[in-house]
Amino acid sequence: DKALGDGVKVAADFSKADRILALDCDFAGTDPQGPVTAFFDRRKPEGKRYEAKADAEKMNRLYAVEAAYSLTGGMADHRLRVAPAQILKVAGEIARQLGIAEAKGADAVTDANLLSWIKPLVDDLKENKGKSLVLAGSRQSAAVHHLALAINIALGNIGEGKPLAV
């Protein structure tokens, strides 16, 4: 992982993630983040399967911010297409809205359309603290990876029994 340094690997546990944000991360295709079977298991809304199961078994929600169409983005409940250079700006704005100090150096998003997409996402992530997962793609800079890590830390998503393990 670019944010944690050489030799440190993070593994996503999609079974514990009710909300997932993919920052140009095609985890269903070219950016493996760990076993994705649990993600797909929680994308099956048919039948009464989810009414009878525990809350952890309910359907997850996927947000994707990406520059080019991907398999993951195609499955997203909410997809934001931006220019490649905007991924860092969007990640920084998400972190800023969460009150993360690392975001202070990032350029602010001023576009009303972007802000109207980001605000509900941030609210949803706040409502699902400890049950969300933010992933940065392999093509992204170390800065995007650092922001994704900072967001996961701020939301309490890392640790035993959480969606992200180191």
Side-chain angles (χ1 to χ4, degrees), residues 73-98:
M75 292 185 293
D77 300 292
H78 309 277
R79 180 180 179 266
L80 178 64
R81 183 173 175 235
V82 297
Q86 293 290 97
I87 303 284
L88 175 60
K89 202 170 191 177
V90 170
E93 184 63 31
I94 293 166
R96 186 182 349 282
Q97 288 191 23
L98 288 168

Side-chain angles (χ1 to χ4, degrees), residues 82 106 131 146:
V82 297
K131 299 180 290 178
H146 282 285

Side-chain angles (χ1 to χ4, degrees), residues 11-17 20 25-44 60 62 71-72 75 133 135:
D13 185 346
F14 291 97
S15 70
K16 295 179 174 72
I20 301 155
C25 179
D26 186 16
F27 64 81
T30 60
D31 285 324
Q33 298 286 323
V36 294
T37 304
F39 169 79
F40 290 108
D41 286 348
R42 294 188 61 192
R43 299 297 288 177
K44 298 175 183 171
N60 55 29
L62 172 61
L71 183 58
T72 299
M75 292 185 293
L133 182 58
L135 303 169

Side-chain angles (χ1 to χ4, degrees), residues 104-128:
K104 292 193 187 335
D107 292 336
V109 171
T110 56
D111 181 280
N113 289 329
L114 289 178
L115 289 170
S116 69
W117 193 91
I118 293 169
K119 175 72 170 109
L121 160 66
V122 170
D123 292 343
D124 202 7
L125 290 174
K126 285 179 182 176
E127 289 174 19
N128 288 279

